[in-house]
């Protein structure tokens, strides 16, 4: 019996590795490399195609206007449980935001951790201080994310962020 349980546990581990549901910083696909108009890395297909398209349009509009460069990542799980460090390493390695303006914004949602993190470059910190980012998460995202509607939560959150960045002002 113990041998069967060990074999079953090994099989489950193998299956989870095959599906690649746990990512290291190096394994998260940077969609910008292949297509400069894409900003949403969604390798586990957590978001709908419509949500990815809406997020990409909002991010492209801000990038084209020179307001911000945004990268959005949605994955099931990451290696380790420190999303803060993971997000900083990921978005730094991708070079999100211009070197001169440092106007990058990285957004990462990890569903298994039930956690979302915004990482702002210094050029956006005046427009998007931590308190405002938290308010956007609470007003526009958390209810949807808690209900498992990741697409609505992410689209609403990115739209609110885009509104603030576009107007250099406060969120409604």
């Amino acid at each position: 019996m113990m041998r069967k349980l060990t074999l079953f546990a090994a099989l489950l581990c193998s299956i989870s590795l095959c599906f690649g549901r746990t990512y290291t910083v190096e394994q998260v696909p940077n969609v910008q490399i292949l297509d400069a108009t894409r900003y949403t890395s969604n390798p586990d297909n957590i978001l709908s195609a419509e949500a990815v398209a809406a997020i990409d349009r909002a991010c492209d509009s801000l990038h084209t206007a020179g307001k911000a460069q945004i990268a959005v990542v949605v994955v099931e799980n990451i290696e380790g449980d420190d999303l803060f460090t993971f997000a900083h390493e990921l978005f730094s390695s991708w070079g999100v935001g211009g070197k001169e303006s440092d106007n990058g914004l990285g957004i990462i949602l990890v569903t298994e951790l039930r956690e979302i993190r915004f990482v702002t470059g210094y050029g956006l910190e005046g427009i998007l201080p931590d308190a405002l980012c938290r308010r956007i998460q609470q007003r526009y995202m958390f209810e949807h994310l808690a209900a498992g509607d990741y697409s609505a939560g992410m689209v609403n959150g990115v739209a609110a962020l885009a509104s603030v960045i576009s107007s250099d002002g406060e969120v409604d």
Side-chain angles (χ1 to χ4, degrees), residues 19 34 51 77 92 96 113 119 139 145 150-151 155 166 169:
F19 287 108
L34 295 176
N77 209 356
S92 292
V96 177
L113 294 178
V119 179
R139 284 188 185 173
L145 298 177
Y150 302 115
S151 292
V155 168
S166 292

Side-chain angles (χ1 to χ4, degrees), residues 5 10 34 36 38 44 51 69 71-72 79-80 92 97 101 105 107 110 123 128 131-132 153 159 170:
L5 285 176
L34 295 176
R38 293 196 52 214
D44 297 324
Q69 181 184 7
V72 178
E79 189 172 89
S92 292
S101 60
L105 171 61
I107 304 167
V110 180
L128 290 173
L132 179 57
E170 186 69 26

Side-chain angles (χ1 to χ4, degrees), residues 9-132:
L11 178 63
L12 283 178
C13 287
S14 298
I15 289 171
S16 68
L17 287 175
C18 289
F19 287 108
R21 302 290 186 190
T22 300
Y23 294 88
T24 64
V25 167
E26 298 78 21
Q27 292 172 328
V28 177
N30 184 345
V31 295
Q32 280 260 297
I33 292 173
L34 295 176
D35 184 347
T37 63
R38 293 196 52 214
Y39 300 85
T40 308
S41 182
N42 181 39
D44 297 324
N45 295 312
I46 293 166
L47 302 179
S48 68
E50 295 81 11
V52 170
I55 292 168
D56 284 350
R57 279 192 304 274
C59 294
D60 192 52
S61 176
L62 290 170
H63 188 250
T64 301
K67 296 280 191 175
Q69 181 184 7
I70 301 175
V72 178
V73 173
V74 180
V75 294
E76 283 187 15
N77 209 356
I78 59 169
E79 189 172 89
D81 59 359
D82 181 9
L83 184 56
F84 179 80
T85 301
F86 187 94
H88 276 278
E89 289 177 7
L90 176 67
F91 297 126
S92 292
S93 73
W94 285 6
V96 177
K99 287 186 181 189
E100 297 292 317
S101 60
D102 197 13
N103 63 348
L105 171 61
I107 304 167
I108 184 168
L109 170 66
V110 180
T111 59
E112 288 295 318
L113 294 178
R114 300 180 51 92
E115 190 173 348
I116 187 165
R117 173 74 59 179
F118 294 175
V119 179
T120 56
Y122 290 118
L124 287 179
E125 284 185 350
I127 298 169
L128 290 173
D130 290 342
L132 179 57

